[in-house]
Amino acid sequence: MKRILVTGGAGFIGSHLCERLLDLGNEVICLDNYFTGSKMNIIHLINNPYFELIRHDVTMPLFVETDEIYNLACPASPVHYQYNGIKTIKTSVMGAINTLGLAKRTKSKILQASTSEVYGDPEVHPQNEAYWGNVNTLGSRACYDEGKRCAETLFMNYHNQNKVRIKIARIFNTYGPKMNSNDGRVVSNFIVQAIKGKNITIYGDGSHTRSFQYIDDLVDGLIKLMDTPDSFTGPVNLGNPAEITISALAAMIIRMTGSKSKIVYLPLPEDDPKQRKPDISLAKKELGWSPKVDAETGLAKTIEYFRKNLK
Ligand code: NAD
Ligand code: UDP
């Protein structure tokens, strides 16, 4: 039995990961400061003797004994990471330093939840791991993008200098049950708006694209990445290459919910990437992983979740 720390474990991805790691027979320590996560996401795990919950902020050092660490703590939605940009940078950078220090002391393997945002508004399409990205260091997304880029650098330096066993996952847009209903991300926004019969808010003209992966596929990919040989550090893209325009996503959600909501067009936020699609050749080769859940199936499950849980 391994003891595994999941920082950001009460968040959307973290809560699914904690559940899966417990199912696989591990002991799980879930750490969170509840900025965007919620105890409700993991409440069903609290009576499990192999599950431990710690209220803690990753910007502060932590002393626990672990075998593996998944470092997920960081707000992921633009609305939330821009709420306090300085705190977002501290969470990524100081959080990386503290968890890497912990990994170094305990000789744990450590995985960083990096992001497709390291590619910024990409000029290469689809994006592969060799692309260095196109990020505005001063824009409103920079607190997140540059924090995550610096975290990748810290991971690689701890690996090269201190032989810490690292894994870097570049996660592309992920959706599914347990997304926060007021999270501000596009899939949860559109589903909540459609169910409530409110206007569907498309930012810009809806021609920009994203590639959405279902949460179960991502969790598979993260665990497979953690289990790769020590010689493989990544970075590796984890995403579903099925690219879709935001307009097409809105139309799909309106159809699947049978909603009478109207579409309204609002200004596109600053530096909003125009296109995004992962090249997942490396994940296929090194992890034997590719996503299995198509949009129709994943969205149906997510819609069902919000229908049951929306107040
Ligand atoms: P989320 O906001 O649901 O989860 C983040 C969790 O981290 C929350 O529970 C939050 O309370 C916690 N947290 C934030 N700051 C913290 C701090 N200082 N100390 C301790 N806990 C803190 O977001 P998510 O979608 O589950 O994202 C998880 C990770 O995956 C993030 O690192 C994010 O950058 C990365 N990621 C997510 C996506 C996506 O599409 N969901 C894409 C790329 C990368
Ligand atoms: N978006 C939108 N309406 C919304 C929320 C988001 O049109 O209500 C757009 C947003 O401008 C972006 C895309 O959907 O182009 C994905 O946004 P999200 O915040 O989910 O993720 P990210 O921009 O970080 O990929």
Side-chain angles (χ1 to χ4, degrees), residues 75 77-85 88 139-144 269-270:
S77 153
V79 180
H80 288 129
Y81 69 63
Q82 287 166 14
Y83 171 75
N84 182 346
T88 300
S140 52
R141 298 173 82 101
C143 58
Y144 182 73
E270 181 195 18

Side-chain angles (χ1 to χ4, degrees), residues 175-244:
Y175 69 97
K178 296 189 189 171
M179 288 184 92
N180 193 332
S181 62
N182 59 17
D183 185 69
R185 278 180 281 188
V186 69
V187 174
S188 46
N189 266 11
F190 285 2
I191 293 178
V192 171
Q193 290 162 346
I195 292 175
K196 291 190 168 172
K198 294 194 170 158
N199 288 338
I200 306 272
T201 54
I202 290 186
Y203 305 156
D205 64 6
S207 64
H208 47 299
T209 69
R210 292 290 187 275
S211 304
F212 296 98
Q213 76 180 322
Y214 187 64
I215 180 68
D216 292 356
D217 283 330
L218 173 65
V219 170
D220 286 346
L222 291 173
I223 293 172
K224 284 195 168 180
L225 173 57
M226 187 63 107
D227 288 344
T228 50
D230 290 349
S231 55
F232 183 72
T233 59
V236 60
N237 290 338
L238 293 178
N240 189 325
E243 187 180 8
I244 182 172

